[in-house]
Amino acid sequence: MRLALGQVEPLVGDKAGNLQRAEALAGQAAEAGADLLILPEMYLTGYALGREQTLALAEPADGPSAQEIAAIAAKHSVAIMYGYPEAATGGTEVFNTAGFVDSTGDRLLDYRKLHYFGDLDRDQFDPIPGEITASCCPVIPWRGWQLGVGICYDIEFPELARQLAVSGADLICVPTANMVDCDHVQELLLPARAVENQLYVAYANYCGADSVFEYGGLSQLAAPGGQQTLAGRGEQLLIAELDRQSLEASRAENPYLRDRLFQVAPRGAEMTANFPHSS
């Protein structure tokens, strides 16, 4: 599978501009032979909005912008994953969500960010309702691959990546808005997540700045062997390849999931040993 990671500067509050840019990026991704275009966290509106503007710009998962993204995907025969503020409960609640639309325009998944980063996330978005369980971390089949999602800060928690891995994920897609002073995520954590879980991690970040943050770029595809296909600091459409044969060879050489002693446990539960040790 071929991915296109859209590393762009945020257009804050400009849905029309972001949709127009998504059209151009989808066309470029199609020309490069990409199957899937991944765009950053809160791509539709920009990330640093504040509560009032986030609520004003939020749309339901099947809202007009979602329909336009679906039309763009179908027009260029490229699947699209993108971040947006999801309006829920009659518009009184809003979540930080990633939508996934396949290359025919069918909407296959909407994933809500679980781990909120700092005061801005907590001020802008409502808490995820109910207990956080494995059902909050779905894995879906697509074109012979198993896809999971995490949004930005989510991937910095090993439990989420491990939950997706034990659910069969081959690829974790991560729309993100990571700041320039947090390069350790791209340099250390992403290849670690890929290696320890024996899967690919695709990380699509912003670059440039808005009125609150400066973003670090360095979008990448981290492979299960630790290799990184890496973007720079500026705007770029990064093209990267997933290889099934390499994935299976790495899993045979590094059977971490088979050999682990502990299972992922729900929040608040004790970790339990998985004995006897498999051979």
Side-chain angles (χ1 to χ4, degrees):
M1 177 165 47
R2 179 170 289 185
L3 302 182
L5 307 180
Q7 180 169 293
V8 296
E9 296 189 8
L11 297 179
V12 178
D14 186 1
K15 285 186 190 178
N18 284 312
L19 288 167
Q20 184 177 20
R21 184 169 59 179
E23 168 87 47
L25 289 167
Q28 294 170 31
E31 289 179 5
D35 303 292
L36 169 60
L37 168 65
I38 305 176
L39 298 169
E41 178 179 13
M42 290 282 285
Y43 170 82
L44 182 62
T45 59
Y47 172 62
L49 297 171
R51 175 72 178 184
E52 183 176 348
Q53 192 176 16
T54 301
L55 279 170
L57 293 172
E59 296 184 14
D62 60 351
S65 294
Q67 295 175 32
E68 190 160 346
I69 290 285
I72 292 170
K75 175 182 176 180
H76 295 284
S77 297
V78 174
I80 300 175
M81 181 174 292
Y82 68 103
Y84 72 101
E86 180 194 358
T89 321
T92 61
E93 289 186 315
V94 61
F95 301 105
N96 186 334
T97 300
F100 176 58
V101 179
D102 75 8
S103 57
T104 67
D106 288 340
R107 198 167 191 89
L108 301 185
L109 179 69
D110 286 278
Y111 165 84
R112 293 171 175 174
K113 185 177 185 179
L114 298 179
H115 300 89
Y116 285 167
F117 179 78
D119 291 339
L120 187 138
D121 253 359
R122 295 184 181 92
D123 289 343
Q124 288 189 165
F125 304 107
D126 290 287
I128 300 299
E131 184 181 2
I132 303 301
T133 67
S135 65
C136 298
C137 309
V139 173
I140 63 168
W142 186 70
R143 293 198 174 184
W145 296 80
Q146 298 292 318
L147 274 59
V149 187
I151 298 176
C152 199
Y153 196 38
D154 282 337
I155 200 63
E156 299 179 41
F157 292 84
E159 296 86 356
L160 181 130
R162 179 52 54 90
Q163 180 60 59
L164 292 170
V166 299
S167 296
D170 302 313
L171 167 67
I172 303 176
C173 302
V174 188
T176 192
N178 196 36
M179 296 80 182
V180 73
D181 55 349
C182 297
D183 287 353
H184 64 278
V185 176
Q186 293 96 312
E187 294 170 354
L188 299 175
L189 296 187
L190 299 184
R193 295 290 172 269
V195 171
E196 69 195 5
N197 293 295
Q198 286 300 290
L199 43 67
Y200 287 96
V201 178
Y203 191 83
N205 196 18
Y206 283 120
C207 57
D210 53 31
S211 63
V212 180
F213 298 116
E214 182 180 0
Y215 299 100
L218 303 181
S219 298
Q220 66 178 269
L221 178 69
Q227 305 89 342
Q228 295 169 282
T229 304
L230 191 65
R233 295 289 189 184
E235 290 198 317
Q236 182 178 347
L237 186 67
L238 180 69
I239 305 299
E241 299 275 354
L242 282 70
D243 181 73
R244 171 64 65 184
Q245 186 174 356
S246 296
L247 174 62
E248 296 303 333
S250 185
R251 285 174 169 173
E253 184 177 355
N254 303 291
Y256 294 124
L257 297 185
R258 185 198 70 190
D259 292 345
R260 77 192 193 281
L261 295 178
F262 295 98
Q263 299 176 353
V264 173
R267 183 171 60 187
E270 293 183 0
M271 300 289 280
T272 56
N274 184 19
F275 294 109
H277 181 53
S278 56
S279 59

